[in-house]
Amino acid sequence: MLNYPIPIIVFICLSGMCIGSFLNVCIYRIPDGKSVVYPPSSCPNCGYQIRWYDNIPLLSYLWLKAKCRQCKIPISFRYPMIEVMTGLSALCVLFRFGLGIESLIYFIFTATLIVITFIDIDHQIIPDIISLPGIPIFFLASFWIPTMTWKDSLIGIVSGGGSLWLVAEIYMLIAKKEGMGGGDIKLLAMMGGLIGWKGVLFTIFFSSAIGTFAGLAIVIHTRKNLKLAMPFGPFLAIGAMMYIFWGEKIIRWYLHLLR
């Protein structure tokens, strides 16, 4: 899988970074209900319309020394980080699945999860405009995944949304308050459409584990009870990504430990 010509590797990486630049726009505008196409990108501080040469992924950030050309207000490091993250995701998909429709589908999936992750971190919401259309889209996309069947996909949707819905209802009965947001339920249903019921089970287990460790780390660091609500979407996204790239190896390793 690694035996690709350097120009192809560079092209895939740069293309992914360019898409990452667009993902930044989506993360910033979708929660406010704004168009991701118009108007062109501008500085949120002074309103300066960003020229194309100031919008080249990573390079413009370095060239401008992480500041707006007009008002000199610092530009968040998160913008180039997401660009690089998306470029690396494109390469990971290439090396894992090769060139083809399967890679394209998984890259779109990972790009979607990147957008959802950072929106959830910023606003503690998972927009329905992403997750709800994503359910039928990724269900249809699963027909081009060799290891998936339409039954696996359909069961994945039902088990993904249904399992978290059941957890949310039980928590509501016990604690008399909401513990699992509806956005998480719809997100896991969307994921199940592409990764199937096995991927859903893996994602729930893995995301719960890392979410627990993250919560304990926050408690230890702050030395306070964990009263604040933690967005669960990022952990679900990490779990789904782990399943796509390393799920089979992790499952075999875990089953070997149980012997």
Side-chain angles (χ1 to χ4, degrees), residues 153-167:
S153 179
L154 191 59
I155 295 173
I157 293 172
V158 175
S159 62
S163 59
L164 288 193
W165 175 83
L166 184 61
V167 170

Side-chain angles (χ1 to χ4, degrees), residues 144-160:
W144 280 270
I145 304 298
T147 56
M148 283 285 292
T149 68
W150 68 269
K151 290 183 180 179
D152 289 334
S153 179
L154 191 59
I155 295 173
I157 293 172
V158 175
S159 62

Side-chain angles (χ1 to χ4, degrees), residues 179-233:
M180 181 71 66
D184 297 321
I185 296 171
K186 286 169 275 192
L187 172 60
L188 192 56
M190 184 196 81
M191 292 176 173
L194 191 66
I195 62 178
W197 64 272
K198 293 179 182 178
V200 165
L201 292 177
F202 179 95
T203 299
I204 292 174
F205 177 81
F206 196 89
S207 60
S208 299
I210 58 176
T212 300
F213 285 123
L216 291 175
I218 292 175
V219 171
I220 294 172
H221 179 71
T222 60
R223 297 182 181 179
K224 297 179 180 179
N225 292 328
L226 190 59
K227 298 292 185 180
L228 71 161
M230 290 179 58
F232 194 51

Side-chain angles (χ1 to χ4, degrees), residues 75-183:
I75 301 172
S76 172
F77 174 72
R78 201 172 80 172
Y79 290 106
M81 181 187 72
I82 290 175
E83 292 169 352
V84 172
M85 183 185 302
T86 311
L88 292 177
S89 296
L91 287 181
C92 288
V93 169
L94 172 68
F95 295 151
R96 175 67 176 84
F97 301 102
L99 286 171
I101 186 67
E102 187 177 8
S103 287
L104 178 61
I105 291 170
Y106 279 124
F107 175 69
I108 293 173
F109 185 68
T110 58
T112 303
L113 295 184
I114 289 173
V115 173
I116 287 174
T117 292
F118 285 96
I119 289 178
D120 202 14
I121 290 172
D122 290 342
H123 304 278
Q124 284 73 57
I125 61 170
I126 298 174
D128 288 348
I129 197 173
I130 300 177
S131 58
L132 288 182
I135 294 174
I137 289 173
F138 288 118
F139 170 72
L140 294 175
S142 69
F143 283 75
W144 280 270
I145 304 298
T147 56
M148 283 285 292
T149 68
W150 68 269
K151 290 183 180 179
D152 289 334
S153 179
L154 191 59
I155 295 173
I157 293 172
V158 175
S159 62
S163 59
L164 288 193
W165 175 83
L166 184 61
V167 170
E169 289 298 308
I170 293 174
Y171 186 87
M172 178 69 76
L173 288 174
I174 296 175
K176 305 301 181 182
K177 62 180 180 179
E178 186 178 89
M180 181 71 66

Side-chain angles (χ1 to χ4, degrees), residues 1 45 212 235:
M1 284 296 184
N45 180 66
T212 300
F235 299 115

